[in-house]
Amino acid sequence: MAGFKRYRKESEVSYSLGITLTFELLKYKTEYVTRIFIHSGMKEGDTLERLKELSQAAGIEIVYTDKIFHVLSQKENCYVIGEFRKFSCNLSEKESHIVLVNPSNAGNMGTIMRSALGFGITQMAVIRPAVDAFEPKTVRASMGAVFSMDFAYYDRFEEYRKVFGERELYPFMLDAQMSLHKIRPKGIFSLIFGNEATGLPAEFANIGTSVVIPHSERIDSLNLPIAASIAMYEATKK
Amino acid sequence: MAGFKRYRKESEVSYSLGITLTFELLKYKTEYVTRIFIHSGMKEGDTLERLKELSQAAGIEIVYTDKIFHVLSQKENCYVIGEFRKFSCNLSEKESHIVLVNPSNAGNMGTIMRSALGFGITQMAVIRPAVDAFEPKTVRASMGAVFSMDFAYYDRFEEYRKVFGERELYPFMLDAQMSLHKIRPKGIFSLIFGNEATGLPAEFANIGTSVVIPHSERIDSLNLPIAASIAMYEATKK
């Protein structure tokens, strides 16, 4: 067994840290799981038995070791790690999307995935440069939503637009045409959000209908996962 | 000058870490600022000059030292710290409130303050046990909103209810009577949220009108600052 290395963007595998996440991984992406690691501190009991049964039924190797936990986890109460091959996904023209342009925070991306899944938006497009959807921090913040979402990366927004430009496009910007209060999508749509610090570049004002979430002047902006979640909540309301 | 200690709940003062936060502190809570600390890495220039001018005009001592930065800040790019006396606030019967019952995460509390200020809800009630609104992490996550909010702590929800029970009370619960989509407050209201992991205790179902933010079964719940922000967005819509 090779030594364990820190996760890197180039790695072929990533990790679910913790028992709950690892159950989500086994449930939704069984065929991509390569190994399950169990720490010596993991208590005997029903949870462990269920984990073993699921792994054995799927032919997944169980490795008893503490080493990988020192490398990957800062949390004291992490006793199970799932290792999985990264999967690739395709987006569909028939589904609404959330589009993140240059997101820079892994936790934010994971939190947005969790909200998206909650509001029935299961597809995400990401425009580079961007954080890594498979980074263990993203996986953890998503609470496992990453295993149920389809996401695809693009080098430029124009690439995305070439394929999905026919739908209703809503770039979210502070100086926008429309208030979110008035947005009622009639068909398939994409909600587009910029970077945490800089927002969307000005040229997005010419794409589709730009939207603002009205808020008082006492704050500069809402935090990104909150803005994206409010937008998804409103746009998916029946 | 005494040695610097880590922030503790019992401390009489707390800190704004970073230049932007410290400007917010000076703007909204000038009379509570006790000292401004400047790190040797802080660049000369307009920003520093403005900081000095504001401090001098308000009679606030400026201390040049790196020591407190080692104690309080993990961030490399923090070159200014503001020290302030904790202030106490009273809530008003004429204002709508956000009520957090047993919140356990400082970052979440700060993020909720930022959203609240954005949606014009400037008063927060907190039911103990609860994180500390003055913890530097809360202050930072609030992006300075903490300096513009009024907040008050209560040992039990009943104490809060005795004073503010006449208004529209909306406890947010997964098994609630009403969908948020249908909530249109007619007057002053309070939006009530439980702990991150456990939510509100079952007895809150008997208080006011319990509300749920509809979401798919694919997630257990929305993250707390997101749920609270969506609720405030919807409840304050005109």
Side-chain angles (χ1 to χ4, degrees):
Chain A
M1 188 167 43
F4 298 114
K5 292 178 188 165
R6 276 181 192 290
Y7 173 80
R8 291 184 313 150
K9 217 169 181 171
E10 302 74 30
S11 310
E12 285 176 17
V13 295
S14 185
Y15 305 92
S16 60
L17 308 183
I19 182 89
T20 313
L21 262 189
T22 302
F23 273 122
E24 292 282 305
L25 169 66
L26 281 166
K27 185 168 178 187
Y28 293 108
K29 284 285 184 274
T30 326
E31 67 274 30
Y32 291 92
V33 187
T34 45
R35 291 182 289 185
I36 301 287
F37 301 99
I38 298 179
H39 190 277
S40 58
M42 178 71 190
K43 279 186 194 151
E44 300 286 331
D46 289 351
T47 310
L48 181 56
E49 287 311 309
R50 216 178 111 231
L51 183 70
K52 284 186 195 173
E53 278 167 28
L54 281 173
S55 305
Q56 278 156 10
I60 297 162
E61 183 188 3
I62 294 181
V63 183
Y64 296 87
T65 176
D66 291 2
K67 282 185 193 166
I68 192 170
F69 292 83
H70 302 309
V71 176
L72 289 176
S73 175
Q74 276 91 50
K75 301 242 174 179
E76 279 180 19
N77 57 353
C78 175
Y79 296 126
V80 171
I81 290 178
E83 178 189 67
F84 61 95
R85 278 180 295 118
K86 296 182 184 175
F87 41 91
S88 67
C89 314
N90 286 313
L91 304 187
S92 155
E93 287 182 53
K94 293 179 182 162
E95 300 278 343
S96 291
H97 301 158
I98 173 107
V99 182
L100 302 183
V101 179
N102 312 142
S104 63
N105 181 294
N108 285 350
M109 183 187 262
T111 304
I112 292 171
M113 286 182 184
R114 176 177 168 195
S115 290
L117 193 59
F119 293 122
I121 296 181
T122 60
Q123 303 208 328
M124 174 184 276
V126 186
I127 315 299
R128 295 191 184 95
V131 281
D132 176 5
F134 288 113
E135 196 178 306
K137 258 193 205 169
T138 316
V139 173
R140 181 182 270 273
S142 87
M143 307 275 275
V146 64
F147 304 130
S148 299
M149 299 277 296
D150 298 321
F151 43 86
Y153 278 75
Y154 300 85
D155 284 324
R156 295 172 54 244
F157 181 76
E158 278 311 312
E159 281 178 42
Y160 171 82
R161 197 182 182 186
K162 262 182 210 161
V163 187
F164 299 107
E166 293 304 305
R167 58 182 57 210
E168 294 175 55
L169 297 174
Y170 296 113
F172 281 72
M173 311 179 75
L174 292 174
D175 50 347
Q177 298 160 259
M178 285 272 275
S179 154
L180 179 63
H181 299 173
K182 295 182 182 164
I183 297 295
R184 288 286 169 272
K186 292 188 185 67
I188 298 303
F189 59 84
S190 292
L191 308 174
I192 308 164
F193 286 86
N195 171 267
E196 284 86 348
T198 56
L200 284 175
E203 61 261 31
F204 278 79
N206 304 317
I207 293 170
T209 306
S210 61
V211 183
V212 63
I213 303 175
H215 63 74
S216 81
E217 288 175 8
R218 295 297 298 276
I219 64 168
D220 289 333
S221 67
L222 294 161
N223 124 332
L224 175 63
I226 284 178
S229 300
I230 290 174
M232 293 189 284
Y233 161 80
E234 187 68 281
T236 60
K237 240 190 211 173
K238 292 291 184 302
Chain B
M1 187 168 43
F4 299 114
K5 292 178 187 164
R6 274 181 194 290
Y7 172 80
R8 291 183 314 150
K9 218 168 179 168
E10 302 75 33
S11 309
E12 285 176 18
V13 294
S14 185
Y15 304 92
S16 60
L17 307 183
I19 182 91
T20 313
L21 263 186
T22 302
F23 273 121
E24 292 282 305
L25 168 66
L26 281 167
K27 185 169 178 184
Y28 293 108
K29 284 284 185 274
T30 325
E31 66 275 29
Y32 291 92
V33 186
T34 45
R35 291 181 289 185
I36 301 287
F37 301 100
I38 298 179
H39 189 277
S40 57
M42 179 70 189
K43 279 187 196 150
E44 299 287 330
D46 290 351
T47 310
L48 181 57
E49 287 312 309
R50 217 179 110 230
L51 183 70
K52 285 186 194 171
E53 278 167 28
L54 281 172
S55 306
Q56 279 156 9
I60 298 161
E61 183 188 2
I62 295 182
V63 183
Y64 295 87
T65 175
D66 291 2
K67 282 185 192 164
I68 192 171
F69 292 83
H70 301 310
V71 176
L72 289 176
S73 175
Q74 275 90 51
K75 300 243 174 179
E76 279 180 19
N77 57 353
C78 175
Y79 297 125
V80 171
I81 290 178
E83 180 189 65
F84 62 93
R85 278 181 294 114
K86 295 182 184 177
F87 42 90
S88 68
C89 314
N90 287 312
L91 304 188
S92 157
E93 289 182 52
K94 293 180 182 162
E95 299 277 344
S96 291
H97 301 159
I98 174 108
V99 183
L100 302 183
V101 179
N102 311 142
S104 64
N105 180 294
N108 285 349
M109 182 187 262
T111 303
I112 292 170
M113 287 183 183
R114 177 178 168 194
S115 290
L117 192 59
F119 293 122
I121 297 180
T122 60
Q123 302 208 329
M124 175 184 275
V126 186
I127 315 299
R128 295 192 184 92
V131 282
D132 175 5
F134 288 113
E135 196 178 305
K137 258 192 207 172
T138 315
V139 174
R140 181 184 271 273
S142 86
M143 307 276 275
V146 65
F147 304 128
S148 299
M149 298 277 297
D150 298 323
F151 43 86
Y153 278 76
Y154 300 85
D155 283 326
R156 294 171 56 246
F157 181 75
E158 278 312 313
E159 281 179 42
Y160 171 82
R161 197 182 182 185
K162 262 182 211 161
V163 187
F164 300 106
E166 294 302 306
R167 58 182 59 210
E168 295 175 57
L169 297 174
Y170 295 112
F172 280 72
M173 311 180 75
L174 291 175
D175 50 346
Q177 298 160 257
M178 285 273 274
S179 154
L180 179 63
H181 298 173
K182 295 181 181 163
I183 297 296
R184 288 284 169 273
K186 292 186 187 65
I188 298 302
F189 59 85
S190 292
L191 308 175
I192 308 165
F193 286 86
N195 171 268
E196 284 86 347
T198 56
L200 285 175
E203 61 263 29
F204 277 79
N206 304 318
I207 293 169
T209 307
S210 61
V211 183
V212 62
I213 304 175
H215 62 74
S216 81
E217 289 176 7
R218 295 297 298 278
I219 64 167
D220 289 334
S221 67
L222 293 162
N223 124 331
L224 174 63
I226 283 179
S229 300
I230 290 175
M232 293 188 285
Y233 161 81
E234 187 71 281
T236 59
K237 238 189 213 176
K238 292 293 183 302

